[in-house]
Amino acid sequence: KQEVTQIPAALSVPEGENLVLNCSFTDSAIYNLQWFRQDPGKGLTSLLLIQSSQREQTSGRLNASLDKSSGRSTLYIAASQPGDSATYLCAAHTGTASKLTFGTGTRLQVTL
Amino acid sequence: EAQVTQNPRYLITVTGKKLTVTCSQNMNHEYMSWYRQDPGLGLRQIYYSMNVEVTDKGDVPEGYKVSRKEKRNFPLILESPSPNQTSLYFCASSPRGGRGNEQFFGPGTRLTVL
């Protein structure tokens, strides 16, 4: 059974810092790994999707990496801004049910 | 605009009163799914549908029903809601089930069962 863990559960950084969010998964037989952003009271916004055959994906200030052999993914946020404050979720896509197994998220606060 | 919509967004109800949460997507996606999100437990899959008239149980299907009569709609039915079904519910869709497809989520429905 796939299990996804995100560390840390919460993180506070000053504006302008570069930061890394961590995601680990137990079953390396994934189709892909997807990173989401969730704002309070809002839905999930897909940030990046890394296919199992890829090592990384980039979108603007965001860069996600994937190491299937070690069961790890990281989300790198460059030059953080207060608008980046949100909860970040990673989800491993496995199985014929196309199920996404989610971590419990990292709550990020970027302070002025 | 391509999107997944859910209605209602907020609902407070009482134990035992049947309710339906609707989900609709306008992207002609074959695959649709329902998740619930609870503090400390993350999001867990309730039911999914690979295509019209094809539905199957996820990890936490007890107390829920679904139907997929049309490609665009995938309603979640609670025949006799109970307080332990108080949660935040998300509908998701993707072009088709299987590897490689990005999933898109609706805005969520916050349900409280008293």
Side-chain angles (χ1 to χ4, degrees):
Chain A
K1 179 186 172 187
Q2 178 74 272
E3 293 181 5
V4 178
T5 304
Q6 290 185 250
I7 294 173
L11 181 63
S12 181
V13 301
E15 182 180 13
E17 274 206 6
N18 303 324
L19 60 102
V20 174
L21 306 181
N22 296 296
C23 172
S24 62
F25 47 94
T26 55
D27 183 355
S28 62
I30 62 172
Y31 293 146
N32 58 51
L33 190 130
Q34 200 166 346
W35 282 92
F36 295 88
R37 168 183 173 139
Q38 184 175 24
D39 293 283
K42 300 286 181 66
L44 303 178
T45 301
S46 180
L47 297 174
L48 288 165
L49 174 75
I50 314 177
Q51 301 293 354
S52 61
S53 58
Q54 297 175 318
R55 296 283 293 180
E56 64 178 67
Q57 278 284 351
T58 298
S59 176
R61 294 183 295 109
L62 304 179
N63 176 276
S65 68
L66 176 64
D67 184 343
K68 277 181 55 178
S69 62
S70 66
R72 294 178 60 185
S73 177
T74 61
L75 179 67
Y76 174 83
I77 302 177
S80 59
Q81 303 171 356
D84 294 331
S85 299
T87 296
Y88 290 81
L89 299 165
C90 70
H93 185 180
T94 53
T96 55
S98 282
K99 182 174 69 174
L100 291 178
T101 302
F102 283 83
T104 50
T106 294
R107 190 171 67 253
L108 172 66
Q109 182 175 12
V110 181
T111 58
L112 292 170
Chain B
E1 180 188 356
Q3 60 184 347
V4 179
T5 57
Q6 296 178 226
N7 282 293
R9 294 289 315 281
Y10 303 91
L11 179 60
I12 300 175
T13 189
V14 296
T15 298
K17 186 176 181 181
K18 181 180 178 180
L19 66 92
T20 299
V21 183
T22 65
C23 173
S24 183
Q25 49 88 11
N26 61 2
M27 297 170 278
N28 201 38
H29 285 174
E30 291 183 357
Y31 178 89
M32 298 185 75
S33 180
W34 276 103
Y35 293 82
R36 60 177 288 174
Q37 184 178 32
D38 301 290
L41 296 176
L43 282 91
R44 295 174 292 168
Q45 190 183 53
I46 303 171
Y47 268 95
Y48 65 97
S49 170
M50 288 292 197
N51 212 327
V52 176
E53 300 292 1
V54 180
T55 64
D56 212 340
K57 297 177 181 179
D59 292 328
V60 288
E62 294 77 21
Y64 304 95
K65 287 175 57 177
V66 293
S67 69
R68 188 87 183 277
K69 293 185 172 59
E70 306 166 280
K71 200 171 191 178
R72 64 184 293 128
N73 296 323
F74 190 44
L76 180 70
I77 304 156
L78 285 72
E79 294 270 2
S80 183
S82 62
N84 65 11
Q85 293 178 298
T86 292
S87 188
L88 180 58
Y89 291 86
F90 289 102
C91 180
S93 73
S94 72
R96 58 186 55 80
R99 62 182 63 207
N101 290 285
E102 185 175 5
Q103 295 198 22
F104 300 89
F105 281 73
T109 294
R110 186 167 293 281
L111 172 65
T112 301
V113 183
L114 302 174

